[in-house]
């Protein structure tokens, strides 16, 4: 099954995504709490997919997405946004994100986005 890097500054959100994915057979490659950490972990772990929060301290998700896409043009990144972040979601899609999911997460939507992006 595909390996996923989970990026969110809120440990609770990472735990929610991890729970949804591990219950459905995905391997959790690792976790990161900000964009800078996400870029480092991506290089180290080479996951099949990244779930990336948009709003984080140190480096936001859009900047991290751009850096990951420079490292690996084929990187599959799904952005996670709160309601009302449409303009940031558009930026993220234009920067190479494959899809987005909205908080609070609904398990079926998270899985649907991941399967779509992975072509399953």
């Amino acid at each position: 099954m595909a390996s996923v890097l989970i990026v969110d500054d809120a440990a609770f959100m990472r735990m929610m995504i991890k729970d949804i994915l591990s219950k459905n057979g995905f391997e959790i490659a690792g976790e990161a709490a900000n964009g800078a950490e996400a870029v480092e972990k991506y290089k180290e772990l080479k996951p099949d997919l990244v779930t990336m929060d948009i709003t984080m301290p140190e480096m936001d998700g859009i900047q991290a997405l751009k850096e990951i896409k420079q490292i690996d043009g084929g990187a599959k990144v799904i952005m996670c946004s709160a309601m009302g972040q449409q303009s940031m979601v558009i930026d993220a899609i234009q920067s190479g994100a494959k899809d987005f999911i909205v908080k609070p997460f609904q398990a079926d939507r998270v899985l649907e986005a991941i399967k779509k992006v992975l072509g399953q």
Side-chain angles (χ1 to χ4, degrees), residues 9-36:
D9 56 328
F12 176 71
M13 288 297 173
R14 292 197 307 269
M15 191 181 74
M16 279 178 64
I17 294 179
K18 187 162 53 171
D19 191 48
I20 292 167
L21 298 182
S22 51
K23 278 183 183 160
N24 287 278
F26 290 92
E27 178 195 327
I28 308 305
E31 296 180 36
N34 63 54

Side-chain angles (χ1 to χ4, degrees), residues 48-66:
D48 298 313
L49 182 93
V50 181
T51 64
M52 179 84 69
D53 187 22
I54 290 182
T55 316
M56 293 181 290
E58 220 168 301
M59 179 193 291
D60 71 19
I62 293 173
Q63 187 58 44
L65 166 68
K66 289 175 181 171

Side-chain angles (χ1 to χ4, degrees), residues 7-9 33-39 50-72 75 77-82 84-101 103:
V7 185
D8 198 304
D9 56 328
N34 63 54
E37 203 180 307
V39 174
V50 181
T51 64
M52 179 84 69
D53 187 22
I54 290 182
T55 316
M56 293 181 290
E58 220 168 301
M59 179 193 291
D60 71 19
I62 293 173
Q63 187 58 44
L65 166 68
K66 289 175 181 171
E67 292 198 19
I68 287 171
K69 292 296 272 186
Q70 283 179 334
I71 297 162
D72 175 4
V77 181
I78 295 176
M79 303 308 284
C80 305
S81 72
Q85 292 182 320
Q86 280 84 352
S87 65
M88 287 195 265
V89 168
I90 292 165
D91 275 359
I93 300 290
Q94 288 170 340
S95 300
K98 301 288 186 198
D99 202 346
F100 68 95
I101 47 181
K103 298 174 183 178

